[in-house]
Amino acid sequence: MLLHPHHDAAYVPSAVAAVIFGAVYVMLGCTFFFHIFRTKSWWSLCLPIGAIISSAGYFLRIVVRQDQNQHSLGLFIPMNLSIVLSPCAFLAFNYIVYGHLIVAVDGSLAGKRGRKAKSDYSYIPPRLVKHVFVWSDVVTFLIQSFGGSMEVSHTTYNLGSKIFLIGIILQFLSYLFFLSMVTLAHRKLLEKPVDVTFPNGGRNHPTKRLFYTLYYSSVLICVRNAYRMVELALGWNGVLWRNEDFFLTLDAVPLILAIGIYMFVWPSILLDQTQALSRTTPHPDYPMAQSGRTLDA
């Protein structure tokens, strides 16, 4: 199919790719909803909601590619924003998982319900993590939304892309800081374990599986964000913007893989196992074990 001369995209989206990725996101969203209802982990709702929004964006690519719709900003804007902004929900999910992980593994937080309760394993109080980073994402989301809405037109693309680039750079830096917190927590747990089985536990140890899953998901999210930054830096006529293969390979696939892991490794189950281990097999060097108290005290 030929590109309409007034179309604001650089190519006609592939219908096959749109159907495949849209269907995969629907499958992921339904699977996540199943896990949520099965485990009653309502705090995870942002993940399937983000997946469903992504699927809507891909299905809209099928509509936008039609000759009569190629010039429609009313279709192009929601299509573009659904795809470029829905990953904010995936980042939010990882933030929430990290906060729950620290609360589960640090028995000193038992009985402390306040959001400001601190942990030796986190720069930021774990119950505040999701609030701090989600608000950070809200700000970058609004910046990206404003810039993304301007990118759909040739006349405002350059300014819009610069605004969007600022938003995604800030989001990227925020996520790198979050990833440093995950790494710090992992290192401190190895040096000062709560659970005696953690340091020498195999890859199937629930706490280690959570850390490895966060690393895996985060690396793929960083790949996607790096691609978006380079794409925007190259501009409207850049090879990345004008080639759908790069978009599918460096944006669509990494994000699918980043959240697809949660089909097989559902955090709430591992969090329950982690909490159980931290309270039943305390390490002798852990202060609460030395004091003779249980971790639930």
Side-chain angles (χ1 to χ4, degrees):
M1 181 178 289
L2 296 177
L3 186 67
H4 192 281
H6 299 295
H7 191 30
D8 289 302
Y11 53 80
V12 177
S14 165
V16 173
V19 169
I20 291 173
F21 284 100
V24 169
Y25 270 117
V26 168
M27 178 190 67
L28 289 174
C30 291
T31 303
F32 298 149
F33 276 124
F34 169 76
H35 284 314
I36 289 170
F37 282 101
R38 181 170 61 96
T39 59
K40 294 181 173 56
S41 48
W42 311 117
W43 52 267
S44 306
L45 282 171
C46 62
L47 187 61
I49 290 173
I52 296 302
I53 293 174
S54 289
S55 72
Y58 281 97
F59 287 136
L60 278 174
R61 287 170 77 88
I62 303 171
V63 179
V64 168
R65 73 187 303 274
Q66 302 302 317
D67 288 337
Q68 67 272 23
N69 296 324
Q70 287 189 15
H71 63 283
S72 173
L73 290 180
L75 290 172
F76 192 81
I77 289 175
M79 178 203 75
N80 189 50
L81 294 182
S82 295
I83 291 174
V84 300
L85 298 180
S86 56
C88 292
F90 309 154
L91 273 64
F93 181 73
N94 283 350
Y95 301 148
I96 296 170
V97 169
Y98 167 82
H100 281 276
L101 172 58
I102 300 302
V103 171
V105 81
D106 190 349
S108 67
L109 294 173
K112 298 179 181 179
R113 301 300 179 187
R115 290 180 180 178
K116 296 182 179 180
K118 297 181 179 180
S119 169
D120 291 337
Y121 302 103
S122 180
Y123 294 133
I124 301 172
R127 294 190 181 98
L128 273 180
V129 167
K130 65 180 179 182
H131 301 284
V132 170
F133 284 101
V134 167
W135 273 110
S136 171
D137 268 5
V138 167
V139 173
T140 59
F141 176 91
L142 293 174
I143 295 173
Q144 291 176 60
S145 296
F146 184 63
S149 65
M150 296 175 66
E151 283 185 303
V152 300
S153 172
H154 286 284
T155 56
T156 58
Y157 173 81
N158 288 332
L159 177 60
S161 64
K162 290 177 182 178
I163 295 173
F164 188 89
L165 179 59
I166 291 171
I168 204 163
I169 288 175
L170 292 175
Q171 184 186 64
F172 186 60
L173 293 175
S174 173
Y175 200 81
L176 287 180
F177 177 66
F178 164 74
L179 192 53
S180 74
M181 292 177 56
V182 177
T183 305
L184 173 74
H186 193 176
R187 180 174 60 81
K188 284 195 170 185
L189 279 169
L190 289 172
E191 296 173 352
K192 183 184 175 184
V194 177
D195 165 21
V196 71
T197 68
F198 180 72
N200 299 317
R203 288 179 296 178
N204 288 327
H205 188 285
T207 311
K208 287 189 175 181
R209 289 181 70 190
L210 281 168
F211 275 113
Y212 295 149
T213 300
L214 282 173
Y215 290 142
Y216 170 85
S217 178
S218 296
V219 167
L220 290 164
I221 287 172
C222 287
V223 168
R224 180 265 179 182
N225 283 353
Y227 156 73
R228 282 293 180 179
M229 287 190 290
V230 175
E231 177 199 47
L232 293 167
L234 293 177
W236 179 272
N237 293 315
V239 63
L240 296 185
W241 171 258
R242 306 190 70 83
N243 193 319
E244 186 179 28
D245 291 339
F246 286 117
F247 164 72
L248 296 176
T249 305
L250 298 174
D251 187 295
V253 171
L255 288 177
I256 288 284
L257 295 176
I259 65 171
I261 186 68
Y262 292 118
M263 287 183 64
F264 313 102
V265 183
W266 189 244
S268 70
I269 297 174
L270 296 179
L271 287 168
D272 288 342
Q273 296 172 355
T274 291
Q275 182 168 309
L277 285 171
S278 70
R279 283 150 174 73
T280 58
T281 58
H283 195 279
D285 293 331
Y286 187 59
M288 295 189 77
Q290 291 178 339
S291 67
R293 292 182 292 156
T294 65
L295 293 177
D296 286 323

